[in-house]
Amino acid sequence: MAAPVKSTVDTPTSSVQNLTIGKALNLGLRRAMEADDKVIVMGEDVGKLGGVFRITDGLQKDFGEHRVLDTPLAESGIIGTAVGLAVRGYRPVCEIQFEGFIFPGFDQISSQVAKLHYRTQGKVKVPIVIRVPYGGGIGAVEHHSESPESLFSHIAGLKVVSCSNPVDAYWMIQQAISADDPVLFFEPKRLYHSGALKAPVDTAATPDPLFASRVLRRGDAATLVAYGPSVKVCLDAATAAEEEGRALEVIDLRTLSPLDLEPVFESVRRTGRLITVSEASAESSLTSEIAARVQQECFYSLEAPVLRVTGFDTPYPPSKLEEHFLPDLDRVLHAVDRALDW
């Protein structure tokens, strides 16, 4: 391996930068590569093109082709190669171009990435990050708009996280890369370049722990729990509800496996009502798990059943119909009305 190549991009003098989620991820990857020359980025079109969503833009130019690798169109090969690199001491960061393309690599992820540390009784570490752009809202066809995070959250040995804002995007990708466990990093692709979510990111701040949920907005009427692209929907719903005199508490899960539900339990014990929101289908999902756990821990505090606002239990629809498939402000507020009217 050649000597580490430092970024040639000028660093702003201020530690605070106004970034979109996409730019924050790019900067986070850059910082991780500067900090450790064992970090390697690999995937389809991540080099010269900078990825189809331009998240890796400029990295190959600044760090070289030996650290930012354009791979063949073979997800199983990408993940399998990453396993070999991890065993040899590297920290591979794999990009799956779209979430629907991940399944040719599912065997490698579930049988090797998730199990190798346990199989070797802790002798072998597998510090792999698998970046997965996921979710709908970009006008694409099936295999480009799904939400398969529940499948991977069920696999023992994997850590699964999802960012919803630029601050978390910047810090969480670096924390995932520095972790010794394999991490699936789900990124809400429709929010990559959203100007509405552009926010100041203090690159000198102390970040929250990676595997911790966060209360984003306090309230006492009902609790909204979401992650990834659905967090913005819940925050918008809380703003709309405030105009009607209803204070909704909003919690961003951030970590999907392991789940950090203590803040959710504490909130539900105060509000007595819970609505979980996700683009994924409802059956056998993370929203199912949250509902079951809250029912176990907060049964005597609940004033209404736990309600779920999700995608439907169907294949992802054509783009002209996706606005009816995805949870939106109206569907969330309707669930709030049902919970409060119980």
Side-chain angles (χ1 to χ4, degrees):
M1 175 64 71
V5 179
K6 297 300 182 183
S7 170
T8 60
V9 173
D10 292 334
T11 302
T13 55
S14 171
S15 66
V16 179
Q17 301 183 49
N18 210 34
L19 302 173
T20 60
I21 288 178
K23 291 294 185 183
L25 286 167
N26 180 276
L27 185 60
L29 287 166
R30 187 178 296 278
R31 294 293 177 262
M33 296 183 74
E34 289 172 342
D36 186 351
D37 67 334
K38 294 292 188 180
V39 176
I40 297 175
V41 173
M42 55 194 297
E44 299 162 8
D45 297 320
V46 299
K48 290 182 173 63
L49 181 65
V52 293
F53 297 105
R54 304 300 187 266
I55 303 304
T56 57
D57 187 38
L59 295 183
Q60 189 180 78
K61 178 176 73 70
D62 294 325
F63 293 97
E65 294 183 2
H66 63 291
R67 293 192 63 195
V68 183
L69 287 69
D70 281 318
T71 67
L73 306 183
E75 287 74 18
S76 180
I78 294 170
I79 304 302
T81 301
V83 171
L85 285 166
V87 169
R88 297 295 293 176
Y90 293 96
R91 292 184 177 271
V93 181
C94 306
E95 178 180 298
I96 302 299
Q97 200 168 76
F98 286 87
E99 76 292 314
F101 301 171
I102 198 170
F103 295 103
F106 190 89
D107 178 43
Q108 292 282 7
I109 295 171
S110 61
S111 300
Q112 307 301 332
V113 174
K115 302 297 190 295
L116 198 54
H117 183 69
Y118 183 83
R119 185 183 301 142
T120 62
Q121 297 182 331
K123 295 182 177 66
V124 175
K125 296 178 180 178
V126 192
I128 296 174
V129 173
I130 303 173
R131 295 181 41 246
V132 188
Y134 80 118
I138 63 169
V141 296
E142 60 177 298
H143 307 313
H144 295 72
S145 300
E146 283 91 356
S147 298
E149 61 275 10
S150 295
L151 295 174
F152 296 95
S153 298
H154 189 67
I155 298 174
L158 295 179
K159 301 293 175 61
V160 184
V161 300
S162 181
C163 59
S164 68
N165 60 77
V167 174
D168 277 349
Y170 174 76
W171 287 113
M172 289 173 69
I173 190 63
Q174 294 179 76
Q175 292 169 312
I177 292 169
S178 66
D180 287 333
D181 294 314
V183 179
L184 266 77
F185 197 96
F186 281 89
E187 303 167 2
K189 69 170 87 78
R190 66 168 153 150
L191 303 181
Y192 273 149
H193 307 296
S194 171
L197 284 180
K198 201 171 188 179
V201 177
D202 186 351
T203 59
T206 300
D208 289 344
L210 178 59
F211 303 112
S213 56
R214 182 191 298 130
V215 179
L216 299 182
R217 181 169 179 148
R218 292 290 182 181
D220 55 15
T223 302
L224 304 181
V225 173
Y227 57 88
S230 298
V231 172
K232 183 181 184 301
V233 177
C234 288
L235 288 171
D236 290 345
T239 299
E242 187 177 36
E243 298 175 1
E244 300 177 354
R246 296 172 172 176
L248 303 180
E249 185 143 304
V250 179
I251 299 177
D252 182 355
L253 284 178
R254 301 174 74 248
T255 172
L256 310 183
S257 181
L259 282 168
D260 175 30
L261 293 182
E262 285 303 323
V264 177
F265 299 153
E266 188 278 331
S267 178
V268 171
R269 290 183 183 116
R270 287 187 293 101
T271 67
R273 295 170 173 84
L274 173 66
I275 296 97
T276 63
V277 185
S278 167
E279 291 187 11
S281 299
E283 191 164 336
S284 303
S285 66
L286 282 162
T287 58
S288 307
E289 176 67 16
I290 296 165
R293 296 276 296 279
V294 167
Q295 182 271 337
Q296 285 180 324
E297 298 294 331
C298 307
F299 182 80
Y300 292 105
S301 299
L302 287 169
E303 300 290 343
V306 176
L307 300 179
R308 296 185 289 159
V309 181
T310 68
F312 299 109
D313 295 322
T314 66
Y316 199 85
S319 58
K320 288 184 178 180
L321 298 175
E322 70 175 348
E323 65 180 89
H324 303 292
F325 180 91
L326 297 172
D328 60 13
L329 183 146
D330 288 337
R331 287 177 61 193
V332 173
L333 289 179
H334 178 62
V336 171
D337 288 341
R338 288 174 56 204
L340 291 174
D341 289 343
W342 196 265

